[in-house]
Amino acid sequence: MSGRVTVLTGGVGGAKLVLGLMQVCPPDTISAIVNTGDDFRHLGLAISPDIDTLLYTLSGRANAAQGWGREGETWTFMDALKSLHGEDWFLLGDGDMALHVLRSHLLTSGETLSAVTARFAAAWELALRILPMSDDPVATHIETDRGDLPFQRYFVEQRCIPAVRAVRFEGAAGARPAPGVIEAINDPDTRAILIAPSNPWLSVDPILAVPGISEALAAASAPVVAVSPIVGGQAVKGPTAKLMGELGLAVTNEAIADHYAGIIDGLLVDERDGGKGLAVPHAVTDTLMKTLEDRARVAMAALDLADRIAG
Ligand code: FO1
């Protein structure tokens, strides 16, 4: 089937699905709406981790084992920074620094995050649209038993150890969807809107918190299908299962479906969990994405579910 595909994504799992989509759809028909709640200023630099993870993953530059940063990275900058007793909890590789320095320079000279991101995607010959959820600052904060932590302090410095009480998105109320975001949801030529298997609370909720986006999704004529981040009662990577426990939720697809209630029309679940008890239309497949073929298969299964719902 033809038509455009829009995908909401954040983190490593999200990038994998987008790469899978790139194998099964013409890249210029894909619009990725990317979480920017992880963004922060560090050492004076504007860091946009989920945008960078997508740029690296889609251009074949990513350190696949690590999930973030570049393959074959060198660390001269970090060694020198440590010798100067600079903050070294957040690792900035030499090649990675080019993204942060150039983005910071362009933002300072007045370019929007969207424009900078489009410039980087074009430089690395990526034909899909990479759309930050907003050009306004939105910062994910994690309220924990060790106090209120900005996202990267929780995720990297504290390694997700503090128990989460609540997640909030500073600045979201005043943030506007970035150019192209609402259009990517409302485009009459949109065949499907996918929510990648990103952490719903940490990587998707910031996108849904930008006024206008969840409303557009709820009203969209295209089917909205989420890929569950749960595989075999666990989350593949990152703190999803631990977070769900701390929020008092069972690590089940019912909890994922409840979280997205009102937004999604379908849920793609892993065959190890199955879809038993799910009220929302669903499909079952092996959603573990280790190889490029796995990623293409999961993307195809999500699109097939969307087509079935649309049909
Ligand atoms: N994740 C880490 O666990 N440790 C790091 O030192 C680290 C540095 C880093 C630098 C640039 C960047 O774009 C991402 C980086 N990440 C690091 C990942 C980052 O924390 C992301 O927010 C996660 O991938 C979750 O989306």
Side-chain angles (χ1 to χ4, degrees), residues 10-12 35 38 40 47-50 52-53 56 66-69 88-93 96 99-100 103 151-152 155-157 159 203:
V12 172
N35 169 41
D38 291 12
F40 74 135
I47 314 277
S48 293
D50 286 353
D52 293 355
T53 297
Y56 287 141
Q66 190 172 262
W68 56 270
D88 63 357
W89 60 275
F90 193 78
L91 301 182
L92 293 167
D96 193 33
L99 269 180
H100 310 310
R103 172 168 40 234
F151 181 81
Q152 296 301 340
F155 191 86
V156 177
E157 190 181 47
R159 297 194 314 285
S203 301

PDB file of all heavy atoms in Angstrom, residues 10-12 35 38 40 47-50 52-53 56 66-69 88-93 96 99-100 103 151-152 155-157 159 203, ligand 1:
ATOM      1  N   GLY A  10      11.406   7.694  20.519  1.00  0.00           N
ATOM      2  CA  GLY A  10      12.408   8.223  21.454  1.00  0.00           C
ATOM      3  C   GLY A  10      13.303   7.067  21.842  1.00  0.00           C
ATOM      4  O   GLY A  10      12.881   5.900  21.793  1.00  0.00           O
ATOM      5  N   GLY A  11      14.515   7.370  22.234  1.00  0.00           N
ATOM      6  CA  GLY A  11      15.394   6.329  22.767  1.00  0.00           C
ATOM      7  C   GLY A  11      15.850   5.317  21.725  1.00  0.00           C
ATOM      8  O   GLY A  11      15.591   5.453  20.524  1.00  0.00           O
ATOM      9  N   VAL A  12      16.486   4.284  22.247  1.00  0.00           N
ATOM     10  CA  VAL A  12      17.145   3.295  21.391  1.00  0.00           C
ATOM     11  C   VAL A  12      16.117   2.401  20.688  1.00  0.00           C
ATOM     12  O   VAL A  12      16.192   2.168  19.474  1.00  0.00           O
ATOM     13  CB  VAL A  12      18.094   2.439  22.262  1.00  0.00           C
ATOM     14  CG1 VAL A  12      18.650   1.273  21.470  1.00  0.00           C
ATOM     15  CG2 VAL A  12      19.211   3.318  22.828  1.00  0.00           C
ATOM     16  N   ASN A  35      11.130  12.614  20.464  1.00  0.00           N
ATOM     17  CA  ASN A  35      11.135  13.148  21.828  1.00  0.00           C
ATOM     18  C   ASN A  35      12.325  14.089  22.036  1.00  0.00           C
ATOM     19  O   ASN A  35      13.449  13.779  21.665  1.00  0.00           O
ATOM     20  CB  ASN A  35      11.241  11.978  22.814  1.00  0.00           C
ATOM     21  CG  ASN A  35      11.517  12.459  24.234  1.00  0.00           C
ATOM     22  OD1 ASN A  35      10.950  13.438  24.686  1.00  0.00           O
ATOM     23  ND2 ASN A  35      12.438  11.778  24.917  1.00  0.00           N
ATOM     24  N   ASP A  38      14.495  14.603  26.660  1.00  0.00           N
ATOM     25  CA  ASP A  38      15.816  14.205  27.199  1.00  0.00           C
ATOM     26  C   ASP A  38      16.837  15.318  27.015  1.00  0.00           C
ATOM     27  O   ASP A  38      17.943  15.221  27.540  1.00  0.00           O
ATOM     28  CB  ASP A  38      16.354  12.983  26.435  1.00  0.00           C
ATOM     29  CG  ASP A  38      15.577  11.718  26.710  1.00  0.00           C
ATOM     30  OD1 ASP A  38      14.491  11.810  27.304  1.00  0.00           O
ATOM     31  OD2 ASP A  38      16.068  10.633  26.324  1.00  0.00           O
ATOM     32  N   PHE A  40      19.144  18.564  27.109  1.00  0.00           N
ATOM     33  CA  PHE A  40      19.616  19.429  28.203  1.00  0.00           C
ATOM     34  C   PHE A  40      20.865  20.149  27.749  1.00  0.00           C
ATOM     35  O   PHE A  40      21.449  19.826  26.701  1.00  0.00           O
ATOM     36  CB  PHE A  40      19.862  18.627  29.493  1.00  0.00           C
ATOM     37  CG  PHE A  40      21.104  17.748  29.522  1.00  0.00           C
ATOM     38  CD1 PHE A  40      21.934  17.742  30.645  1.00  0.00           C
ATOM     39  CD2 PHE A  40      21.424  16.917  28.456  1.00  0.00           C
ATOM     40  CE1 PHE A  40      23.057  16.922  30.695  1.00  0.00           C
ATOM     41  CE2 PHE A  40      22.547  16.090  28.507  1.00  0.00           C
ATOM     42  CZ  PHE A  40      23.370  16.103  29.619  1.00  0.00           C
ATOM     43  N   ILE A  47      22.367  19.510  23.974  1.00  0.00           N
ATOM     44  CA  ILE A  47      22.401  18.067  23.712  1.00  0.00           C
ATOM     45  C   ILE A  47      20.980  17.585  23.420  1.00  0.00           C
ATOM     46  O   ILE A  47      20.067  17.893  24.187  1.00  0.00           O
ATOM     47  CB  ILE A  47      22.934  17.303  24.961  1.00  0.00           C
ATOM     48  CG1 ILE A  47      24.190  17.977  25.534  1.00  0.00           C
ATOM     49  CG2 ILE A  47      23.162  15.833  24.619  1.00  0.00           C
ATOM     50  CD1 ILE A  47      25.490  17.647  24.913  1.00  0.00           C
ATOM     51  N   SER A  48      20.799  16.866  22.330  1.00  0.00           N
ATOM     52  CA  SER A  48      19.484  16.296  21.962  1.00  0.00           C
ATOM     53  C   SER A  48      19.640  14.808  21.723  1.00  0.00           C
ATOM     54  O   SER A  48      19.737  14.362  20.558  1.00  0.00           O
ATOM     55  CB  SER A  48      18.923  16.980  20.710  1.00  0.00           C
ATOM     56  OG  SER A  48      18.597  18.328  20.957  1.00  0.00           O
ATOM     57  N   PRO A  49      19.672  14.014  22.794  1.00  0.00           N
ATOM     58  CA  PRO A  49      20.040  12.595  22.669  1.00  0.00           C
ATOM     59  C   PRO A  49      19.162  11.775  21.732  1.00  0.00           C
ATOM     60  O   PRO A  49      19.681  11.001  20.926  1.00  0.00           O
ATOM     61  CB  PRO A  49      19.930  12.070  24.109  1.00  0.00           C
ATOM     62  CG  PRO A  49      20.111  13.268  24.964  1.00  0.00           C
ATOM     63  CD  PRO A  49      19.470  14.383  24.201  1.00  0.00           C
ATOM     64  N   ASP A  50      17.830  11.948  21.804  1.00  0.00           N
ATOM     65  CA  ASP A  50      16.987  11.066  20.988  1.00  0.00           C
ATOM     66  C   ASP A  50      17.049  11.435  19.515  1.00  0.00           C
ATOM     67  O   ASP A  50      16.943  10.557  18.652  1.00  0.00           O
ATOM     68  CB  ASP A  50      15.552  11.074  21.515  1.00  0.00           C
ATOM     69  CG  ASP A  50      15.436  10.268  22.813  1.00  0.00           C
ATOM     70  OD1 ASP A  50      16.426   9.624  23.201  1.00  0.00           O
ATOM     71  OD2 ASP A  50      14.359  10.267  23.415  1.00  0.00           O
ATOM     72  N   ASP A  52      19.838  12.585  18.197  1.00  0.00           N
ATOM     73  CA  ASP A  52      21.162  12.085  17.794  1.00  0.00           C
ATOM     74  C   ASP A  52      21.160  10.567  17.632  1.00  0.00           C
ATOM     75  O   ASP A  52      21.744  10.032  16.676  1.00  0.00           O
ATOM     76  CB  ASP A  52      22.209  12.513  18.815  1.00  0.00           C
ATOM     77  CG  ASP A  52      22.394  14.036  18.808  1.00  0.00           C
ATOM     78  OD1 ASP A  52      21.782  14.701  17.955  1.00  0.00           O
ATOM     79  OD2 ASP A  52      23.124  14.555  19.665  1.00  0.00           O
ATOM     80  N   THR A  53      20.465   9.867  18.534  1.00  0.00           N
ATOM     81  CA  THR A  53      20.387   8.400  18.409  1.00  0.00           C
ATOM     82  C   THR A  53      19.748   8.023  17.073  1.00  0.00           C
ATOM     83  O   THR A  53      20.187   7.098  16.388  1.00  0.00           O
ATOM     84  CB  THR A  53      19.572   7.817  19.583  1.00  0.00           C
ATOM     85  OG1 THR A  53      20.271   8.099  20.794  1.00  0.00           O
ATOM     86  CG2 THR A  53      19.357   6.328  19.443  1.00  0.00           C
ATOM     87  N   TYR A  56      22.279   8.823  14.159  1.00  0.00           N
ATOM     88  CA  TYR A  56      23.339   7.812  14.105  1.00  0.00           C
ATOM     89  C   TYR A  56      22.799   6.472  13.603  1.00  0.00           C
ATOM     90  O   TYR A  56      23.389   5.823  12.737  1.00  0.00           O
ATOM     91  CB  TYR A  56      23.974   7.615  15.485  1.00  0.00           C
ATOM     92  CG  TYR A  56      24.867   8.752  15.937  1.00  0.00           C
ATOM     93  CD1 TYR A  56      24.865   9.172  17.257  1.00  0.00           C
ATOM     94  CD2 TYR A  56      25.714   9.404  15.051  1.00  0.00           C
ATOM     95  CE1 TYR A  56      25.667  10.218  17.680  1.00  0.00           C
ATOM     96  CE2 TYR A  56      26.537  10.445  15.462  1.00  0.00           C
ATOM     97  CZ  TYR A  56      26.501  10.852  16.779  1.00  0.00           C
ATOM     98  OH  TYR A  56      27.306  11.896  17.208  1.00  0.00           O
ATOM     99  N   GLN A  66      25.972  -0.254  22.223  1.00  0.00           N
ATOM    100  CA  GLN A  66      25.763   0.698  23.326  1.00  0.00           C
ATOM    101  C   GLN A  66      24.393   1.358  23.218  1.00  0.00           C
ATOM    102  O   GLN A  66      23.797   1.759  24.200  1.00  0.00           O
ATOM    103  CB  GLN A  66      26.859   1.760  23.244  1.00  0.00           C
ATOM    104  CG  GLN A  66      26.985   2.693  24.404  1.00  0.00           C
ATOM    105  CD  GLN A  66      28.226   3.559  24.266  1.00  0.00           C
ATOM    106  OE1 GLN A  66      29.258   3.261  24.856  1.00  0.00           O
ATOM    107  NE2 GLN A  66      28.136   4.618  23.459  1.00  0.00           N
ATOM    108  N   GLY A  67      23.902   1.514  21.955  1.00  0.00           N
ATOM    109  CA  GLY A  67      22.575   2.104  21.778  1.00  0.00           C
ATOM    110  C   GLY A  67      22.624   3.591  21.546  1.00  0.00           C
ATOM    111  O   GLY A  67      21.735   4.166  20.943  1.00  0.00           O
ATOM    112  N   TRP A  68      23.653   4.250  22.057  1.00  0.00           N
ATOM    113  CA  TRP A  68      23.773   5.699  21.812  1.00  0.00           C
ATOM    114  C   TRP A  68      25.202   5.973  21.352  1.00  0.00           C
ATOM    115  O   TRP A  68      26.073   5.114  21.439  1.00  0.00           O
ATOM    116  CB  TRP A  68      23.468   6.481  23.080  1.00  0.00           C
ATOM    117  CG  TRP A  68      24.324   6.099  24.241  1.00  0.00           C
ATOM    118  CD1 TRP A  68      24.042   5.128  25.155  1.00  0.00           C
ATOM    119  CD2 TRP A  68      25.616   6.607  24.588  1.00  0.00           C
ATOM    120  NE1 TRP A  68      25.098   4.996  26.055  1.00  0.00           N
ATOM    121  CE2 TRP A  68      26.059   5.898  25.736  1.00  0.00           C
ATOM    122  CE3 TRP A  68      26.458   7.599  24.047  1.00  0.00           C
ATOM    123  CZ2 TRP A  68      27.292   6.150  26.345  1.00  0.00           C
ATOM    124  CZ3 TRP A  68      27.683   7.829  24.651  1.00  0.00           C
ATOM    125  CH2 TRP A  68      28.084   7.120  25.778  1.00  0.00           C
ATOM    126  N   GLY A  69      25.422   7.184  20.810  1.00  0.00           N
ATOM    127  CA  GLY A  69      26.780   7.533  20.378  1.00  0.00           C
ATOM    128  C   GLY A  69      27.219   6.783  19.127  1.00  0.00           C
ATOM    129  O   GLY A  69      26.454   6.049  18.502  1.00  0.00           O
ATOM    130  N   ASP A  88      32.428  14.752  34.339  1.00  0.00           N
ATOM    131  CA  ASP A  88      32.678  13.654  33.385  1.00  0.00           C
ATOM    132  C   ASP A  88      31.651  12.531  33.486  1.00  0.00           C
ATOM    133  O   ASP A  88      31.866  11.435  32.963  1.00  0.00           O
ATOM    134  CB  ASP A  88      34.085  13.094  33.609  1.00  0.00           C
ATOM    135  CG  ASP A  88      34.221  12.489  35.007  1.00  0.00           C
ATOM    136  OD1 ASP A  88      33.237  12.576  35.781  1.00  0.00           O
ATOM    137  OD2 ASP A  88      35.283  11.907  35.306  1.00  0.00           O
ATOM    138  N   TRP A  89      30.486  12.792  34.109  1.00  0.00           N
ATOM    139  CA  TRP A  89      29.484  11.717  34.238  1.00  0.00           C
ATOM    140  C   TRP A  89      28.745  11.485  32.922  1.00  0.00           C
ATOM    141  O   TRP A  89      28.173  10.404  32.718  1.00  0.00           O
ATOM    142  CB  TRP A  89      28.492  12.055  35.347  1.00  0.00           C
ATOM    143  CG  TRP A  89      27.726  13.329  35.121  1.00  0.00           C
ATOM    144  CD1 TRP A  89      28.135  14.593  35.442  1.00  0.00           C
ATOM    145  CD2 TRP A  89      26.445  13.459  34.466  1.00  0.00           C
ATOM    146  NE1 TRP A  89      27.196  15.515  35.031  1.00  0.00           N
ATOM    147  CE2 TRP A  89      26.148  14.856  34.447  1.00  0.00           C
ATOM    148  CE3 TRP A  89      25.541  12.572  33.913  1.00  0.00           C
ATOM    149  CZ2 TRP A  89      24.969  15.357  33.893  1.00  0.00           C
ATOM    150  CZ3 TRP A  89      24.361  13.063  33.365  1.00  0.00           C
ATOM    151  CH2 TRP A  89      24.095  14.443  33.362  1.00  0.00           C
ATOM    152  N   PHE A  90      28.764  12.487  32.027  1.00  0.00           N
ATOM    153  CA  PHE A  90      28.038  12.358  30.765  1.00  0.00           C
ATOM    154  C   PHE A  90      29.075  12.331  29.654  1.00  0.00           C
ATOM    155  O   PHE A  90      29.774  13.324  29.435  1.00  0.00           O
ATOM    156  CB  PHE A  90      27.088  13.543  30.583  1.00  0.00           C
ATOM    157  CG  PHE A  90      26.077  13.381  29.488  1.00  0.00           C
ATOM    158  CD1 PHE A  90      24.946  12.593  29.666  1.00  0.00           C
ATOM    159  CD2 PHE A  90      26.258  14.002  28.256  1.00  0.00           C
ATOM    160  CE1 PHE A  90      24.010  12.445  28.650  1.00  0.00           C
ATOM    161  CE2 PHE A  90      25.332  13.866  27.244  1.00  0.00           C
ATOM    162  CZ  PHE A  90      24.200  13.082  27.438  1.00  0.00           C
ATOM    163  N   LEU A  91      29.208  11.165  29.000  1.00  0.00           N
ATOM    164  CA  LEU A  91      30.332  10.967  28.080  1.00  0.00           C
ATOM    165  C   LEU A  91      30.067  11.607  26.721  1.00  0.00           C
ATOM    166  O   LEU A  91      29.025  11.360  26.095  1.00  0.00           O
ATOM    167  CB  LEU A  91      30.579   9.461  27.907  1.00  0.00           C
ATOM    168  CG  LEU A  91      30.897   8.712  29.201  1.00  0.00           C
ATOM    169  CD1 LEU A  91      31.171   7.238  28.912  1.00  0.00           C
ATOM    170  CD2 LEU A  91      32.086   9.335  29.915  1.00  0.00           C
ATOM    171  N   LEU A  92      30.978  12.432  26.276  1.00  0.00           N
ATOM    172  CA  LEU A  92      30.878  13.121  24.980  1.00  0.00           C
ATOM    173  C   LEU A  92      32.062  12.703  24.127  1.00  0.00           C
ATOM    174  O   LEU A  92      33.207  13.104  24.374  1.00  0.00           O
ATOM    175  CB  LEU A  92      30.866  14.638  25.216  1.00  0.00           C
ATOM    176  CG  LEU A  92      29.614  15.151  25.949  1.00  0.00           C
ATOM    177  CD1 LEU A  92      29.819  16.583  26.414  1.00  0.00           C
ATOM    178  CD2 LEU A  92      28.394  15.043  25.038  1.00  0.00           C
ATOM    179  N   GLY A  93      31.797  11.844  23.148  1.00  0.00           N
ATOM    180  CA  GLY A  93      32.865  11.359  22.270  1.00  0.00           C
ATOM    181  C   GLY A  93      33.340  12.445  21.314  1.00  0.00           C
ATOM    182  O   GLY A  93      32.620  13.413  21.039  1.00  0.00           O
ATOM    183  N   ASP A  96      31.108  12.708  18.359  1.00  0.00           N
ATOM    184  CA  ASP A  96      29.788  13.142  18.836  1.00  0.00           C
ATOM    185  C   ASP A  96      29.791  14.639  19.113  1.00  0.00           C
ATOM    186  O   ASP A  96      28.806  15.338  18.879  1.00  0.00           O
ATOM    187  CB  ASP A  96      29.465  12.366  20.124  1.00  0.00           C
ATOM    188  CG  ASP A  96      28.000  12.491  20.534  1.00  0.00           C
ATOM    189  OD1 ASP A  96      27.142  12.598  19.646  1.00  0.00           O
ATOM    190  OD2 ASP A  96      27.738  12.526  21.748  1.00  0.00           O
ATOM    191  N   LEU A  99      28.291  17.143  16.576  1.00  0.00           N
ATOM    192  CA  LEU A  99      26.841  17.390  16.575  1.00  0.00           C
ATOM    193  C   LEU A  99      26.486  18.452  17.608  1.00  0.00           C
ATOM    194  O   LEU A  99      25.769  19.408  17.339  1.00  0.00           O
ATOM    195  CB  LEU A  99      26.086  16.099  16.931  1.00  0.00           C
ATOM    196  CG  LEU A  99      25.635  15.166  15.816  1.00  0.00           C
ATOM    197  CD1 LEU A  99      24.913  13.969  16.411  1.00  0.00           C
ATOM    198  CD2 LEU A  99      24.731  15.872  14.839  1.00  0.00           C
ATOM    199  N   HIS A 100      27.049  18.296  18.800  1.00  0.00           N
ATOM    200  CA  HIS A 100      26.657  19.203  19.897  1.00  0.00           C
ATOM    201  C   HIS A 100      27.197  20.616  19.672  1.00  0.00           C
ATOM    202  O   HIS A 100      26.483  21.600  19.866  1.00  0.00           O
ATOM    203  CB  HIS A 100      27.169  18.656  21.232  1.00  0.00           C
ATOM    204  CG  HIS A 100      26.825  17.226  21.460  1.00  0.00           C
ATOM    205  ND1 HIS A 100      25.542  16.742  21.301  1.00  0.00           N
ATOM    206  CD2 HIS A 100      27.596  16.172  21.806  1.00  0.00           C
ATOM    207  CE1 HIS A 100      25.549  15.452  21.548  1.00  0.00           C
ATOM    208  NE2 HIS A 100      26.755  15.083  21.854  1.00  0.00           N
ATOM    209  N   ARG A 103      25.318  22.118  16.556  1.00  0.00           N
ATOM    210  CA  ARG A 103      23.920  22.424  16.908  1.00  0.00           C
ATOM    211  C   ARG A 103      23.878  23.645  17.825  1.00  0.00           C
ATOM    212  O   ARG A 103      23.090  24.564  17.625  1.00  0.00           O
ATOM    213  CB  ARG A 103      23.261  21.231  17.600  1.00  0.00           C
ATOM    214  CG  ARG A 103      21.872  21.539  18.156  1.00  0.00           C
ATOM    215  CD  ARG A 103      21.088  20.307  18.583  1.00  0.00           C
ATOM    216  NE  ARG A 103      21.939  19.345  19.239  1.00  0.00           N
ATOM    217  CZ  ARG A 103      22.039  18.061  18.876  1.00  0.00           C
ATOM    218  NH1 ARG A 103      21.315  17.597  17.900  1.00  0.00           N
ATOM    219  NH2 ARG A 103      22.830  17.237  19.502  1.00  0.00           N
ATOM    220  N   PHE A 151      16.232  14.595  33.669  1.00  0.00           N
ATOM    221  CA  PHE A 151      16.257  13.269  33.067  1.00  0.00           C
ATOM    222  C   PHE A 151      17.646  12.636  32.993  1.00  0.00           C
ATOM    223  O   PHE A 151      17.870  11.504  33.412  1.00  0.00           O
ATOM    224  CB  PHE A 151      15.638  13.289  31.655  1.00  0.00           C
ATOM    225  CG  PHE A 151      15.635  11.923  31.032  1.00  0.00           C
ATOM    226  CD1 PHE A 151      14.653  11.001  31.356  1.00  0.00           C
ATOM    227  CD2 PHE A 151      16.656  11.536  30.172  1.00  0.00           C
ATOM    228  CE1 PHE A 151      14.669   9.726  30.806  1.00  0.00           C
ATOM    229  CE2 PHE A 151      16.683  10.262  29.618  1.00  0.00           C
ATOM    230  CZ  PHE A 151      15.680   9.352  29.945  1.00  0.00           C
ATOM    231  N   GLN A 152      18.624  13.360  32.466  1.00  0.00           N
ATOM    232  CA  GLN A 152      19.938  12.742  32.268  1.00  0.00           C
ATOM    233  C   GLN A 152      20.616  12.431  33.602  1.00  0.00           C
ATOM    234  O   GLN A 152      21.410  11.492  33.703  1.00  0.00           O
ATOM    235  CB  GLN A 152      20.831  13.647  31.401  1.00  0.00           C
ATOM    236  CG  GLN A 152      20.321  13.845  29.979  1.00  0.00           C
ATOM    237  CD  GLN A 152      20.169  12.555  29.192  1.00  0.00           C
ATOM    238  OE1 GLN A 152      20.779  11.542  29.545  1.00  0.00           O
ATOM    239  NE2 GLN A 152      19.339  12.555  28.180  1.00  0.00           N
ATOM    240  N   PHE A 155      18.865   9.177  34.402  1.00  0.00           N
ATOM    241  CA  PHE A 155      19.126   8.070  33.480  1.00  0.00           C
ATOM    242  C   PHE A 155      20.604   7.698  33.431  1.00  0.00           C
ATOM    243  O   PHE A 155      20.970   6.521  33.448  1.00  0.00           O
ATOM    244  CB  PHE A 155      18.641   8.471  32.075  1.00  0.00           C
ATOM    245  CG  PHE A 155      18.609   7.338  31.094  1.00  0.00           C
ATOM    246  CD1 PHE A 155      17.506   6.512  31.007  1.00  0.00           C
ATOM    247  CD2 PHE A 155      19.700   7.081  30.279  1.00  0.00           C
ATOM    248  CE1 PHE A 155      17.484   5.462  30.112  1.00  0.00           C
ATOM    249  CE2 PHE A 155      19.685   6.034  29.380  1.00  0.00           C
ATOM    250  CZ  PHE A 155      18.568   5.219  29.294  1.00  0.00           C
ATOM    251  N   VAL A 156      21.477   8.702  33.390  1.00  0.00           N
ATOM    252  CA  VAL A 156      22.902   8.424  33.204  1.00  0.00           C
ATOM    253  C   VAL A 156      23.665   8.475  34.527  1.00  0.00           C
ATOM    254  O   VAL A 156      24.279   7.506  34.953  1.00  0.00           O
ATOM    255  CB  VAL A 156      23.515   9.427  32.210  1.00  0.00           C
ATOM    256  CG1 VAL A 156      25.009   9.195  32.070  1.00  0.00           C
ATOM    257  CG2 VAL A 156      22.821   9.319  30.859  1.00  0.00           C
ATOM    258  N   GLU A 157      23.569   9.620  35.212  1.00  0.00           N
ATOM    259  CA  GLU A 157      24.378   9.762  36.420  1.00  0.00           C
ATOM    260  C   GLU A 157      23.915   8.773  37.491  1.00  0.00           C
ATOM    261  O   GLU A 157      24.740   8.104  38.109  1.00  0.00           O
ATOM    262  CB  GLU A 157      24.282  11.189  36.953  1.00  0.00           C
ATOM    263  CG  GLU A 157      25.275  11.475  38.064  1.00  0.00           C
ATOM    264  CD  GLU A 157      25.151  12.894  38.590  1.00  0.00           C
ATOM    265  OE1 GLU A 157      24.003  13.319  38.844  1.00  0.00           O
ATOM    266  OE2 GLU A 157      26.184  13.569  38.718  1.00  0.00           O
ATOM    267  N   ARG A 159      21.915   6.190  36.894  1.00  0.00           N
ATOM    268  CA  ARG A 159      21.711   4.872  36.245  1.00  0.00           C
ATOM    269  C   ARG A 159      20.335   4.275  36.559  1.00  0.00           C
ATOM    270  O   ARG A 159      20.196   3.080  36.811  1.00  0.00           O
ATOM    271  CB  ARG A 159      22.822   3.905  36.655  1.00  0.00           C
ATOM    272  CG  ARG A 159      24.202   4.357  36.188  1.00  0.00           C
ATOM    273  CD  ARG A 159      25.253   3.262  36.285  1.00  0.00           C
ATOM    274  NE  ARG A 159      25.220   2.547  37.556  1.00  0.00           N
ATOM    275  CZ  ARG A 159      25.680   3.041  38.693  1.00  0.00           C
ATOM    276  NH1 ARG A 159      26.177   4.258  38.727  1.00  0.00           N
ATOM    277  NH2 ARG A 159      25.627   2.349  39.816  1.00  0.00           N
ATOM    278  N   SER A 203       9.738   8.379  27.192  1.00  0.00           N
ATOM    279  CA  SER A 203      10.100   8.811  25.829  1.00  0.00           C
ATOM    280  C   SER A 203       8.907   9.175  24.955  1.00  0.00           C
ATOM    281  O   SER A 203       9.074   9.899  23.981  1.00  0.00           O
ATOM    282  CB  SER A 203      10.909   7.701  25.142  1.00  0.00           C
ATOM    283  OG  SER A 203      12.082   7.421  25.887  1.00  0.00           O
TER     284      SER A 203
HETATM  285  N1  FO1 B   1      23.848   7.356  28.004  1.00  0.00           N
HETATM  286  C1  FO1 B   1      24.582   6.821  29.019  1.00  0.00           C
HETATM  287  O1  FO1 B   1      24.129   5.851  29.635  1.00  0.00           O
HETATM  288  N2  FO1 B   1      25.808   7.344  29.372  1.00  0.00           N
HETATM  289  C2  FO1 B   1      26.349   8.405  28.747  1.00  0.00           C
HETATM  290  O2  FO1 B   1      27.438   8.864  29.112  1.00  0.00           O
HETATM  291  C3  FO1 B   1      25.615   8.975  27.650  1.00  0.00           C
HETATM  292  C4  FO1 B   1      26.128  10.065  26.924  1.00  0.00           C
HETATM  293  C5  FO1 B   1      25.394  10.522  25.805  1.00  0.00           C
HETATM  294  C6  FO1 B   1      25.900  11.537  25.004  1.00  0.00           C
HETATM  295  C7  FO1 B   1      25.180  11.991  23.908  1.00  0.00           C
HETATM  296  C8  FO1 B   1      23.951  11.429  23.600  1.00  0.00           C
HETATM  297  O3  FO1 B   1      23.250  11.851  22.521  1.00  0.00           O
HETATM  298  C9  FO1 B   1      23.409  10.397  24.379  1.00  0.00           C
HETATM  299  C10 FO1 B   1      24.131   9.944  25.487  1.00  0.00           C
HETATM  300  N3  FO1 B   1      23.622   8.913  26.285  1.00  0.00           N
HETATM  301  C11 FO1 B   1      24.354   8.400  27.319  1.00  0.00           C
HETATM  302  C12 FO1 B   1      22.253   8.349  26.032  1.00  0.00           C
HETATM  303  C13 FO1 B   1      21.266   9.343  26.610  1.00  0.00           C
HETATM  304  O4  FO1 B   1      21.292   9.292  28.021  1.00  0.00           O
HETATM  305  C14 FO1 B   1      19.815   9.139  26.135  1.00  0.00           C
HETATM  306  O5  FO1 B   1      18.998  10.017  26.768  1.00  0.00           O
HETATM  307  C15 FO1 B   1      19.323   7.703  26.351  1.00  0.00           C
HETATM  308  O6  FO1 B   1      19.712   7.014  25.202  1.00  0.00           O
HETATM  309  C16 FO1 B   1      17.802   7.610  26.509  1.00  0.00           C
HETATM  310  O7  FO1 B   1      17.174   8.206  25.438  1.00  0.00           O
END
